[in-house]
Structure formats: structure tokens, C-alpha cells
Amino acid sequence: MSTDVTPQAGHAVEEKLPRKLRWYDAFAMSMTMPAALIATLGASIAGLGGWGAAVLWAISMVIAFVVNWIYIELSTMFPESSGGIAGFAAEAWKSRAPWLAPVAGVGYWLPWGSNLATYGALTGLIIQSQWFPDQTWELSLGPIHLSFPILIGLGVIFVLYGINVIGVRVTMTFVYITAAILLIPLFVFIVLPVFSSGWNPGALTWKLEGWEGLHTAVVWLYVMAWTTLGVEVCTTFASEYRDPVKDTARAIRAAALFCLGVFFLVPITLGGFAGEEAIGKDPATFFVGAFAKLVGSDAAANVMVLCLIASLVLVMLTSVADSSRVLFNMGKEGVTVRAVGKLDRRGIPMRALNVMLVLNIVLLVVLQQPLAIIVTGNLGYVLTHVLAVSGFALLRKDRPDAVRPIRLPNIFVPISIVLAILLAVIVVVGATGFSITGYGGVLELSIAIGILALGVVIWAFVRARDRRSGVPPRSADESL
């Protein structure tokens, strides 16, 4: 596939991200998913029981494994796109329902773009719990809420924004450092409990009984989807790989297999050691106390908590890089305001980064709770997966002769349809019932729907303005 682009009328110069990454760079960034498990693990064990959480995390990761296997073919079809799965969805659906392109784009961008608020808030809670437990003051100014953890979170947002402004190679240096540090708490979580006298997996319970239990399970699959499906981050950087085809496929395979093992083991090992009662009392930061017990001293526990914070920094670094590229691609393709589809002279999507900065500050001071922020973004995120996975079948039908450097067996066509239906059920049940988790409600659902609707309105405005200015659509399909 040629990488040369002839500018169309109205499109001066094609904006391209520089090709500097290899597959192991994306694999390092995909390790954000095991780190992201920390944000929801405690709440899932408290709500589902230890065994319930372990089984559901395993099921969710198996679904994610198959879904991401399908994305291998799609990513090699569009090696020049920095839109990730939102780009796949737009390509598949634009001839049928072009307005789904902004739904997929905004739906995908919001959860990734809001991760600075999510894990900035969690970082603040961890620091408060470990070193400043007496800092419990709060200040409310209408919808704006300030506290010690929130101030810490705001500081983290600005620091990581600054790192991404410097450039991709500096960002990758921090990614590798934090990914290596993440291996330390993962080792402690998975291995040390098994050799501890306090590990008692037999004391874990199962809280998913009857139809109510099934409903609860589906709602939690909705919450878990953000963490398990997130290994698709590898596809977003396809346009920056030195070899888009080979590097994307290798990154997805490695990330999916690694996360499958971690997501199955951690709920059993750490949950069996910490105990459901202790987790239920403090689901957000229970692992701080578990660290101290596992390593045997408060000093060592301080080191482990620093490792844990570093793993959250990895999540946020990757999220900034991912979401800014998705928004940049949306602007470049005319799915949203074209101004954000521009690079500065160093090849950095600064305008997209600035939008992300404002979004995270607002979400952090309004929603505050990490899980509440996650469930707000999940509506569009899982919906985007529905559109992308079903898009696999549509593209097989609509473009049978398209270049597919990696072509999956035909059995994956019906598999993709089944997965799309399953994810659609999870979206409907989860989006209308996530208050079961104890986080989120009408406010969060309203924010999610409002942002998706705003994305469609902006898309319609951009298309209308392009028509008046004589800017042609980027493909014949988009003129429908």
C-alpha cells in the first residue's frame, strides 16, 4: 500500500505523524491495562465476591482476546490511520450511516482522553492514604469540588501533559521506565500471596446468584470492558510504526496474551490474600495495606506504593498519547473540527493535546471518583467496539478484494457478528444499570450521551461548512 498522498482541493498538505515506533513500544504502552486493573479490582471483588470477580475478569479478557484478534486484520487494512478502532468503525459504516463516524470517534476518544482525570484522582487517593491520611479537607464551589487528592490529581495532569508536549521519544522513555517498574507490583500481586500463610482463596465468595446475579454480572462486564478491551491501543499507533503491518500484529498478539494471564491471576492471588472484608471497607486503596503485609515493613511498603503510582503514570502517559492521536485523526478526516487535525512543526498534535487537558480538568473537579469517570466514558467506548467488530463482517462483504496483508480464516466473520451482538447487550444493560456498582447514575449517563450527541452535531456542522467552502469529501462513500 502506497504511503504517498495527493492533496485534494481544500486539503493543503496531508498531516502525517512520523514513523518512529516498533511493536515493542506499543506492547510497553499496552501494559497500561494491567495497571488500570487497580482502579476497579477492589470494587469488583467487593460487589461480586472474590470468585465472582475472578471469573468475570477472565470472561471479559477472553472476549477481549478474540475481539483484538479480529483487529489484527483490520489494522493491516488501514496502516496509515491513527484513528485505531474508531477508524475501522468509520470505514465500515460510512456508506450506510456516516453519522456513526463521530459517534465512534468521540466514543473512543472520551474514555482514553479522560484517563488523566481517572488515574490522577486514584493517584491522589493513594498518596493521601499512604502518607497524608489527615488531609481530609474539602471545598465545594457549586459543581466544582476540591480536596487534597483532587489537587494531587491536577498536578499530575499538568506534569504528564508537559511530558507529551516535549515529544514521542521522551514520552516513550517514560513509558519504558514506568512499564519496567510496573513488573514489581505485578510480581508482588501474583507471586508473593501464593507463598504467604495469609493466602486463603477458599474464603473468597460468589455473589452472583439467580437472575439478579446475571444482571449484576453483565453490568460489571460493562465496567470491566474498558480495562480488558484496552489492549487495542496498539492499533492507534499503526501510522507511527516503522513496519505498520508486522509491528501492529505483533503488538496486539503480545499484549492480548500477556493481559489474559494477568487478569485471570490477580483477582485470585491478591483477593485471596487481602480478604473480602478488608477490600469491602476500602476498595479504592486496599492494596496499600496488602503491600505492607506482603513485604513485611512500612519502609518497603512505601517503595511498593511508589511503584504502584509509577504504573498509574504509565496508564496516563499512554492515554494522553492515544487520545491526542485519535482526536488529531478525527480532525484530519473532517469528523470533528478540522483545527485539531494539525501538527506543530515538531510533529506533535498540540491542539488535540490542549483539548484533552481541558477535558480532564473539568472531569476531575466535577466527577472526582475514578470509577464514576470510567463508567461515564464506557458507553461510547463499548459502543465503538460494537461498530468496529461488526465492521469486520461489513468490510468482508463490501470490500472482498481489498488488500489484507493478514487475512483471518472465514470463521471469524460469524464470530464477529456474535461478538457484536454480545457487546451490544452489554452496552444496553450496563449503561442503564451501572448504579449497581455503587458508582455512577443519571449524571454520568447524561454526560456520556450529551458528549456523543455533541460529537454528531459538530460533525454535521463541519460537513455543512465543507460543502459551502467547496471542500470535497475524503472518499466517494462520504458524499452519500
Side-chain angles (χ1 to χ4, degrees), residues 167-215:
V168 67
R169 289 319 312 175
V170 174
T171 300
M172 286 309 307
T173 299
F174 280 91
V175 165
Y176 274 110
I177 292 172
T178 52
I181 295 174
L182 169 63
L183 295 177
I184 299 174
L186 282 182
F187 176 83
V188 172
F189 283 158
I190 294 173
V191 178
L192 293 191
V194 178
F195 296 96
S196 171
S197 59
W199 186 52
N200 185 17
L204 298 176
T205 62
W206 176 275
K207 299 181 180 179
L208 299 173
E209 302 293 342
W211 286 107
E212 183 178 350
L214 178 61
H215 181 220

